[in-house]
Amino acid sequence: QKEVEQNSGPLSVPEGAIASLNCTYSDRVSQSFFWYRQYSGKSPELIMSIYSNGDKEDGRFTAQLNKASQYVSLLIRDSQPSDSATYLCAVNHLFGNEKLTFGTGTRLTIIP
Amino acid sequence: GAVVSQHPSRVICKSGTSVKIECRSLDFQATTMFWYRQFPKQSLMLMATSNEGSKATYEQGVEKDKFLINHASLTLSTLTVTSAHPEDSSFYICSARGDRGRSGNTIYFGEGSWLTVV
């Protein structure tokens, strides 16, 4: 079982709709969770970080964490064509060597 | 926000030569830096973790004698790909974790370096 799993997509969402990206992780001691956006040929860019159960909102982005279910998601409201990218879920084990483990990413396409 | 800079952004080298990639944290001290490699349409794979003033910790399967990492200061880490071969062609990305004061526990990525070995 992969440590961090994501649906590779592609996920197509109409412009203006809500895009929902999901991620599951296998290590229960995971403490920090991140969503990165990566445009083709570019480096990942941090979108959201979340550490506690529940929702965290930042502008059009909402991260949701459920540690009991080992599940973290990212919602993008009012999707824009510029949101088209690959979204990487990453998990950090604070009590380990603090390295990030990445999922394989979900490719999101916003259809105008 | 915090900025991590990588140089060069693109490099082409001949097979058998060595290439050095620099990673700098511009506005915070990076006690730990990470080096990743990403092949097309794949996720980031951690190669090694470098800590300032000590030897890097390499992930399983990564040749430490081929990928030399030096983290000589709190703002600079370098990755040298020695005796490069075409299969080393990839996107190399560094990231840095800030000290607890300025950047907390957030990890920031450099812009990445495209290496093409011909």
Side-chain angles (χ1 to χ4, degrees), chain B residues 33-50:
Chain B
M33 288 185 171
F34 304 88
W35 287 96
Y36 293 85
R37 180 168 54 183
Q38 186 179 34
F39 292 107
K41 299 188 186 299
Q42 296 187 23
S43 190
L44 280 73
M45 296 302 297
L46 181 66
M47 300 174 67
T49 303
S50 73

Side-chain angles (χ1 to χ4, degrees), chain A residues 29-77:
Chain A
V29 300
S30 301
Q31 296 293 319
S32 305
F33 307 87
F34 305 87
W35 281 101
Y36 286 86
R37 176 175 64 195
Q38 187 176 27
Y39 293 113
S40 181
K42 301 293 185 182
S43 188
E45 171 191 9
L46 181 65
I47 297 296
M48 292 281 288
S49 60
I50 187 167
Y51 307 98
S52 305
N53 279 326
D55 294 0
K56 178 181 178 183
E57 186 175 321
D58 183 1
R60 296 187 296 113
F61 300 96
T62 299
Q64 299 174 317
L65 175 61
N66 184 325
K67 290 188 177 182
S69 300
Q70 294 176 234
Y71 175 94
V72 58
S73 65
L74 179 70
L75 300 177
I76 306 175
R77 289 182 299 281

Side-chain angles (χ1 to χ4, degrees), chain B residues 96-116:
Chain B
R97 181 178 70 83
D99 57 24
R100 298 285 172 180
R102 170 66 172 84
S103 300
N105 200 41
T106 301
I107 296 173
Y108 298 93
F109 282 87
E111 307 99 326
S113 299
W114 283 100
L115 170 63
T116 302

